[in-house]
Amino acid sequence: MFIKSTLISTGSLFRAVCYSTTINNGFNLKRTLDKVKRQEDNKILKSVLRNRIIECPKDVDVLRSEVINSKGNFSERNVDRALLNHFCHEGQFRNGINYIEFLNKEIKSKLNLFLVIQTFRMYYYERHRKKSLSNVEEEYLISLYKDLRNSFPILDVVSIECAILGLSITKEWKKCLDLLQEASRIDQPSNTSYNAVIASAFLNGEEEIGWMLIKEMFEKHRTPSYVAFSAYIEKLEQVKNKTEIMMKLEKLFTLCKENDIILPEKVIEELGSLLRTNSIQANLTSINKRGCCSCCQQKLDAFEVTNEMFEELKDKFITNVIVGKNIFSKTTPEEFARFQSFLKTIDDCSVVIDGLNVAYSVGTKHSSSVCSAFLANVVAYFVNRNKKVLVLGREHMNRWPKKNWNYVKNNAKLFLTQDLSQDDPYLLYAALHLGKNTMIVTRDLMRSHLFLLKEPSDKIMFSRWLSQRQYQIKYVTGFGKVIFNIPMPYMRTIQKNGDYLHIPYQTKEEKNNESNETSNSWLCIHLSS
Ligand SMILES: [Zn+2]
């Protein structure tokens, strides 16, 4: 078994080294190796645990030895941790709970801290998945917490947070408020801890505590997630009065709107079911390119920014993001001054293109003739639509093949920075300078700069402005035709349109994909139904 395992690891190692050599960095090599090992172990656990149900102590024995004797990196020392993490990750909470119970019987020794905290985690996720917990289970968790505190009066932050998860689903949930304090004396409590306590406050009818903790999260630049919102809706299932339900939902929607929260799909499913149970029409829908809902045909609102608002936003952005962060430290003051003077001469441009970023959309491995041809295509797209275009680029682009590069030079205003300069700040600065209706063309979303704006309301406003001005390159056809993600003529935020309420949501695919594409999935609620 050992030999076999070594052989397989060597194969993985070879692949990892090949990959990592291109990165040429020792730290990355180790990370890559660890990642490969983890992926192989996960594959093994997945296959061993497929359709498996743990019902008796013998099942635990069989499973443990099967995993230890597999080709993965498992031993007597790490097998329980690996299995429990896997149960949690795969949502097999009942298996996890049974596994711990039978393991505990076998150990018959003093309290095992690792197993206790895993028990809290499993019960917590299982409770929020099933939306129920028996009295016996509740009592068990309470007594487990008591035993834990008797055996370990001082806990590390991870154990405290798991204890929060366990206690939050019992009638002793208010102890979690003290535990949050205890955790915050060591470190910032995690989002999961906050969500657990917020959910229990909502479920136990102590809404004010829930809202107070949400406020605290926002102050710490954190956002509540599924468990908290789902608990709020679960509690509303007990309310029989339609008007009261809508009033309480209004509070939730206002919070989402003011803080630019996009609810996850699972919450929308639960919300839809709550509404339909109360005879309120709620349908999943999408918004067409003209900004109308496919379900009710109402037109959604675009983001309107007045000149005054835009000027204010521009000042804040320049002060906080550009000057405050010394974002031009990679360039020279002379270059930036040259850029500012240049901008004064091109006030008629309405499109700013991030030249290098756009050119490399075809792939960085392509030759400069392919990249430059693509950039020329993008410039032509706007020129053919009678737009005046500004291209920001780097000096080395001057060495690109003449035919394409001359097209860019002759049809667009051009500003080239030194090869080391950052592009994003130049791009945003130019767009802000050219006015609120400027179109920005890049492959990136440029969201990272938003975090440098201090006020949440400024972040939201800037993000909405950007989302309505940005042409993001989606792909290029084999014939060089450019396909854009064109900004939609509506805001992706909860809004009332006529007698309908529209709520955007994040699909599971959007949450998992890395393509930067936002989904066009909405819930349409008929308010007077
Ligand atoms: Zn609608």
Side-chain angles (χ1 to χ4, degrees):
M1 188 54 67
F2 175 74
I3 295 169
K4 232 178 175 179
S5 152
T6 311
L7 280 175
I8 285 186
S9 300
T10 313
S12 313
L13 184 77
F14 178 71
R15 286 197 302 277
V17 169
C18 288
Y19 172 63
S20 207
T21 311
T22 60
I23 300 167
N24 200 17
N25 177 318
F27 180 65
N28 278 345
L29 173 66
K30 188 180 175 315
R31 272 200 351 202
T32 311
L33 282 173
D34 289 344
K35 196 175 164 192
V36 170
K37 270 188 191 172
R38 272 201 309 276
Q39 282 170 346
E40 285 182 354
D41 288 351
N42 280 337
K43 239 190 238 170
I44 291 168
L45 289 178
K46 238 182 184 155
S47 115
V48 171
L49 288 167
R50 191 166 294 132
N51 301 326
R52 196 127 185 173
I53 297 173
I54 295 171
E55 288 174 315
C56 63
K58 195 168 167 252
D59 292 341
V60 172
D61 293 342
V62 173
L63 177 60
R64 288 180 95 246
S65 65
E66 208 173 305
V67 172
I68 291 170
N69 293 321
S70 72
K71 292 167 188 167
N73 302 284
F74 304 107
S75 66
E76 199 51 63
R77 276 186 63 204
N78 69 9
V79 66
D80 298 327
R81 185 180 294 268
L83 277 166
L84 288 168
N85 280 334
H86 196 79
F87 287 137
C88 216
H89 187 259
E90 296 294 310
Q92 296 184 17
F93 306 118
R94 182 45 63 185
N95 265 348
I97 288 167
N98 291 347
Y99 185 92
I100 295 168
E101 191 190 330
F102 300 135
L103 206 62
N104 262 332
K105 275 186 188 151
E106 205 164 275
I107 294 171
K108 284 184 197 137
S109 60
K110 62 176 188 176
L111 206 65
N112 179 314
L113 180 62
F114 172 69
L115 291 182
V116 172
I117 63 174
Q118 291 298 328
T119 305
F120 288 142
R121 269 175 83 199
M122 298 287 175
Y123 271 104
Y124 170 77
Y125 287 113
E126 177 71 348
R127 188 269 165 237
H128 284 292
R129 191 175 67 84
K130 268 177 51 191
K131 314 278 181 210
S132 69
L133 184 75
S134 73
N135 288 341
V136 177
E137 289 172 323
E138 202 174 314
E139 289 305 329
Y140 169 62
L141 289 173
I142 292 170
S143 75
L144 199 59
Y145 176 70
K146 265 185 204 150
D147 293 346
L148 176 74
R149 282 299 12 190
N150 287 337
S151 305
F152 303 94
I154 297 171
L155 290 172
D156 63 283
V157 76
V158 175
S159 307
I160 295 173
E161 296 198 329
C162 285
I164 289 177
L165 301 189
L167 267 191
S168 73
I169 53 173
T170 71
K171 56 178 179 269
E172 298 210 359
W173 69 274
K174 275 199 176 171
K175 283 187 180 162
C176 295
L177 295 169
D178 298 330
L179 286 174
L180 266 185
Q181 293 292 325
E182 197 178 332
S184 64
R185 281 195 288 274
I186 310 171
D187 201 354
Q188 290 257 10
S190 67
N191 283 4
T192 312
S193 307
Y194 267 113
N195 276 294
V197 191
I198 292 165
S200 50
F202 285 151
L203 288 168
N204 288 286
E206 297 260 16
E207 251 187 59
E208 285 316 308
I209 295 180
W211 293 120
M212 185 198 75
L213 289 171
I214 286 180
K215 195 168 160 246
E216 203 175 301
M217 279 189 94
F218 286 138
E219 283 165 4
K220 293 179 177 169
H221 305 285
R222 284 140 180 264
T223 312
S225 55
Y226 168 73
V227 171
F229 296 127
S230 171
Y232 191 74
I233 290 166
E234 188 184 331
K235 185 69 182 169
L236 287 184
E237 283 164 10
Q238 295 166 9
V239 180
K240 295 287 167 243
N241 182 323
K242 208 158 135 177
T243 318
E244 193 186 335
I245 292 176
M246 288 314 286
M247 222 173 63
K248 298 246 182 201
L249 284 178
E250 179 76 36
K251 198 166 177 183
L252 176 68
F253 298 153
T254 306
L255 174 99
C256 293
K257 195 174 172 180
E258 285 176 355
N259 296 283
D260 230 13
I261 294 172
I262 304 289
L263 292 169
E265 187 169 2
K266 250 173 110 184
V267 173
I268 293 295
E269 283 166 9
E270 291 162 12
L271 173 63
S273 149
L274 168 78
L275 293 167
R276 284 186 286 271
T277 309
N278 288 280
S279 313
I280 300 165
Q281 272 181 39
N283 298 299
L284 297 182
T285 185
S286 59
I287 310 300
N288 66 24
K289 284 183 180 162
R290 287 175 290 110
C292 296
C293 168
S294 318
C295 181
C296 67
Q297 311 307 322
Q298 288 284 332
K299 193 167 170 55
L300 272 71
D301 297 332
F303 175 60
E304 298 293 345
V305 58
T306 63
N307 290 338
E308 274 176 345
M309 279 157 73
F310 183 75
E311 285 304 315
E312 202 183 312
L313 191 64
K314 181 173 147 184
D315 285 348
K316 281 183 182 166
F317 188 83
I318 290 171
T319 313
N320 293 321
V321 181
I322 293 184
V323 180
K325 197 67 187 165
N326 195 15
I327 217 148
F328 288 102
S329 57
K330 284 192 176 177
T331 184
T332 61
E334 291 77 23
E335 185 170 71
F336 185 47
R338 185 168 69 86
F339 181 56
Q340 285 176 306
S341 320
F342 166 79
L343 285 180
K344 286 178 191 149
T345 66
I346 54 141
D347 279 345
D348 56 343
C349 286
S350 59
V351 179
V352 191
I353 299 178
D354 186 349
L356 202 59
N357 176 295
V358 164
Y360 284 158
S361 298
V362 281
T364 47
K365 284 179 187 158
H366 285 288
S367 67
S368 56
S369 59
V370 175
C371 293
S372 57
F374 181 64
L375 177 61
N377 269 344
V378 174
V379 171
Y381 174 93
F382 291 100
V383 169
N384 293 340
R385 285 162 179 76
N386 296 320
K387 304 285 181 200
K388 294 261 192 319
V389 178
L390 162 65
V391 173
L392 300 179
R394 309 277 182 91
E395 280 171 6
H396 72 81
M397 291 158 88
N398 265 327
R399 298 193 290 275
W400 278 3
K402 285 278 171 289
K403 187 183 156 216
N404 300 323
W405 190 235
N406 279 346
Y407 176 84
V408 175
K409 279 192 349 197
N410 295 335
N411 289 281
K413 303 280 183 187
L414 198 58
F415 187 85
L416 302 178
T417 61
Q418 287 170 9
D419 290 352
L420 277 175
S421 303
Q422 290 185 337
D423 296 332
D424 270 14
Y426 276 92
L427 189 71
L428 288 170
Y429 191 90
L432 288 164
H433 173 84
L434 292 170
K436 63 177 188 174
N437 296 324
T438 313
M439 288 178 252
I440 305 167
V441 186
T442 175
R443 191 177 41 164
D444 298 334
L445 282 174
M446 301 187 290
R447 295 279 184 263
S448 57
H449 301 288
L450 296 180
F451 294 101
L452 299 169
L453 284 168
K454 286 179 191 138
E455 292 296 319
S457 55
D458 292 337
K459 280 182 200 171
I460 292 168
M461 201 195 283
F462 194 82
S463 159
R464 285 184 187 162
W465 173 74
L466 200 57
S467 70
Q468 303 227 307
R469 303 312 319 152
Q470 193 170 9
Y471 277 61
Q472 206 191 347
I473 291 167
K474 198 172 174 185
Y475 62 90
V476 191
T477 67
F479 301 103
K481 194 179 168 206
V482 195
I483 311 292
F484 292 104
N485 275 329
I486 291 175
M488 290 297 153
Y490 55 84
M491 281 185 288
R492 194 186 182 213
T493 186
I494 294 184
Q495 51 187 287
K496 189 168 175 273
N497 314 98
D499 199 23
Y500 293 84
L501 188 72
H502 294 104
I503 304 173
Y505 64 90
Q506 187 188 44
T507 57
K508 287 162 198 137
E509 292 75 28
E510 184 188 354
K511 197 180 171 198
N512 298 332
N513 85 18
E514 289 166 1
S515 69
N516 282 342
E517 263 193 60
T518 49
S519 93
N520 177 18
S521 302
W522 295 69
L523 182 72
C524 170
I525 304 172
H526 191 186
L527 292 169
S528 60
S529 55

